[in-house]
Amino acid sequence: MAMDIAAIRREFPILEREVNGRPLIYLDNTATSQTPREVTDAITRMYTSTKANVHRGVHTLSQEATDLQEATRRRVQKYINAAEPEEVIFTRGTTEAINLVAASYGQRFRDGDEIVLTVMEHHADIVPWQLLRSHADIRIRVAEINDRGEIDLESYGSLFNSRTVMAAFCHVSNVLGTVNPVKDMTAIAHSHGVPVLIDGAQASPHLPIDVRDLDCDFYAFSSHKMYGPTGVGVLYGRRSILEEMPPYQGGGEMIRHVSFGHTTFADLPFRFEAGTPDFVGIAAFASALDFIERVGLENIARHEHELLEYATGRLREIERLQIYGTAPGKSAVISFNVGDIHNYDLGLLLDRMGVAVRTGHHCAQPLMERLGVPGTVRASFAVYNTREEVDAFIAALHRVLAILA
Ligand code: PLP
């Protein structure tokens, strides 16, 4: 089905604004995607008609708010094909989801235990594991990549041994766009009896997620990268493993009974949801999933892929431009540098022309080190981007390069 991109764009009021006197060309979708009116309407509706704290009141508003939150939980469960809604834990985002697993599941790790990561991890999937070193001397082993940005499964398997206690990896790299063979990587980890966490922050806006087919133990993602509100994320956890984990944060909602001597904890998922959640954002997240399902993930992915191919071809025409990440089937992210021009200079001047791209290390400093650069410029696409925007971006880049020459 051909998509009516003009109609889709009209659902995103922000795309009508200008930046520095030029029409905004928003190519920073990997950092966060823009939000359609149906999601902002859902937020407004909640604030103007249904705002009340969840799970605490017998009154009508509280029950309605609770129903909306729990409806989103069931919606997410179906979206990722989890076995039950109790396996869906709401967090602030991917970062908090990974911190939850590291802080809670990681309590069982001991001196000498090893965690297998990959060189392309976002800091959100590195630092939480390092923090465990305050209680145990944990070793991190790192899967390397080839020059296209791919992981070799054979050498991946060689990183596991009897001390390995966790494997964590991104589904899609936020810098290279590589779509990792996560099902195979999960099977390799499981063949060594090692649980798996998948950082799905860059996969969930573009690819269908089926946690049961992947057979992963944990899967983390963020609403704000999926056309949804900020402040909401999801940790999927397999029930059998979540049930063995100690609470993450203490407070309201996560308890069954509290006395000064002793506290007993609530069942899943509430045991991991201390305090008032972003129930407005959670309720509105369902509208973002509605948007994605209405447009169709396959249509979104196809459109983004076309833009990726087109933009890659146009960029390759530019002398001294180097693209990082060329794996077949990659996601719609292009990281690049031009000669020895600093990525900030390119980004700043592109912004003067209305083009929003990301610059810097993209929270992936170990990957930058592997690539041998301090940072890159990164253009990334979403459903509402157009070929005309790619043309305008390329034209702006030519002008920037002429200025810097
Ligand atoms: N993991 C990856 C691969 C990401 O790209 C990001 C954000 O860019 C994160 C984790 C962190 O997501 P959040 O900031 O929504 O917690």
Side-chain angles (χ1 to χ4, degrees):
M1 187 191 84
M3 283 193 300
D4 183 350
I5 300 296
I8 288 174
R9 287 180 69 83
R10 283 195 292 278
E11 297 182 46
F12 291 81
I14 200 169
L15 299 177
E16 286 159 26
R17 74 162 279 185
E18 294 195 340
V19 168
N20 296 318
R22 312 281 178 110
L24 166 67
I25 296 177
Y26 186 77
L27 301 180
D28 193 17
N29 295 287
T30 295
T32 196
S33 54
Q34 298 300 343
T35 307
R37 210 184 297 270
E38 68 193 272
V39 175
T40 53
D41 283 352
I43 294 170
T44 306
R45 220 171 25 248
M46 185 101 184
Y47 274 114
T48 51
S49 70
T50 323
K51 187 179 177 214
N53 211 331
V54 287
H55 293 301
R56 283 186 196 165
V58 292
H59 65 81
T60 301
L61 287 191
S62 175
Q63 285 182 3
E64 286 179 8
T66 305
D67 288 348
L68 284 169
Q69 171 166 301
E70 295 312 311
T72 304
R73 200 186 304 275
R74 291 190 297 277
R75 190 89 173 65
V76 171
Q77 174 213 344
K78 292 209 171 61
Y79 193 79
I80 61 172
N81 195 30
E84 19 177 349
E86 291 77 13
E87 294 180 323
V88 172
I89 295 162
F90 289 119
T91 64
R92 278 193 302 122
T94 307
T95 303
E96 189 180 41
I98 300 175
N99 273 280
L100 190 164
V101 176
S104 169
Y105 187 83
Q107 284 184 30
R108 69 186 68 190
F109 299 165
R110 297 289 169 258
D111 288 350
D113 283 353
E114 296 186 358
I115 298 174
V116 176
L117 304 178
T118 83
V119 74
M120 67 175 90
E121 292 319 300
H122 188 281
H123 297 164
D125 198 26
I126 302 174
V127 184
W129 306 112
Q130 287 174 334
L131 291 177
L132 293 172
R133 288 182 176 146
S134 63
H135 85 259
D137 184 17
I138 283 157
R139 194 162 164 224
I140 290 176
R141 308 205 59 183
V142 181
E144 287 300 329
I145 50 173
N146 63 21
D147 287 340
R148 286 192 299 272
E150 297 162 302
I151 285 168
D152 171 58
L153 286 177
E154 212 169 298
S155 47
Y156 185 67
S158 70
L159 296 171
F160 290 79
N161 61 46
S162 61
R163 299 310 314 253
T164 316
V165 289
M166 175 62 73
F169 43 81
C170 59
H171 196 160
V172 173
S173 159
N174 66 318
V175 175
L176 305 167
T178 310
V179 180
N180 282 320
V182 287
K183 197 170 165 179
D184 294 335
M185 292 167 78
T186 301
I188 289 171
H190 283 176
S191 73
H192 294 271
V194 172
V196 165
L197 179 144
I198 302 179
D199 170 353
Q202 295 302 340
S204 51
H206 312 286
L207 301 173
I209 310 295
D210 183 333
V211 290
R212 274 189 281 177
D213 180 54
L214 294 174
D215 198 29
C216 58
D217 303 284
F218 302 103
Y219 196 98
F221 55 102
S222 302
S223 147
H224 70 96
K225 296 182 194 289
M226 302 172 70
Y227 309 105
T230 58
V232 177
V234 169
L235 172 68
Y236 158 78
R238 195 194 292 279
R239 177 186 271 280
S240 55
I241 202 163
L242 286 175
E243 276 182 338
E244 289 173 7
M245 286 164 47
Y248 166 55
Q249 293 178 328
E253 297 297 322
M254 52 76 73
I255 54 88
R256 194 188 301 278
H257 182 259
V258 178
S259 71
F260 283 111
H262 183 67
T263 291
T264 52
F265 302 115
D267 291 333
L268 294 176
F270 307 113
R271 188 192 314 169
F272 294 107
E273 292 181 353
T276 300
D278 184 349
F279 56 84
V280 174
I282 292 169
F285 183 33
S287 300
L289 297 179
D290 288 345
F291 169 80
I292 290 177
E293 288 191 341
R294 188 161 43 74
V295 179
L297 252 187
E298 270 177 35
N299 294 325
I300 294 174
R302 193 177 51 244
H303 175 69
E304 290 171 347
H305 184 72
E306 282 167 12
L307 292 176
L308 173 72
E309 298 269 289
Y310 179 60
T312 303
R314 299 282 329 261
L315 285 169
R316 283 200 196 286
E317 290 164 7
I318 296 174
E319 233 177 280
R320 297 188 307 138
L321 186 142
Q322 183 175 357
I323 293 177
Y324 305 94
T326 53
K330 69 179 269 196
S331 186
V333 180
I334 311 178
S335 288
F336 64 92
N337 278 316
V338 186
D340 52 11
I341 302 174
H342 201 282
N343 59 82
Y344 285 117
D345 295 339
L346 287 174
L348 275 176
L349 288 171
L350 283 169
D351 179 63
R352 304 308 307 161
M353 299 175 192
V355 181
V357 290
R358 183 129 309 229
T359 56
H361 54 62
H362 315 297
C363 299
Q365 283 181 333
L367 177 59
M368 294 298 125
E369 209 167 296
R370 160 67 177 81
L371 299 174
V373 293
T376 73
V377 181
R378 183 183 70 188
S380 52
F381 304 102
V383 66
Y384 39 69
N385 290 124
T386 63
R387 276 171 93 93
E388 292 71 32
E389 286 185 311
V390 173
D391 288 335
F393 158 52
I394 301 289
L397 187 55
H398 278 292
R399 264 181 287 149
V400 167
L401 293 173
I403 293 168
L404 292 171

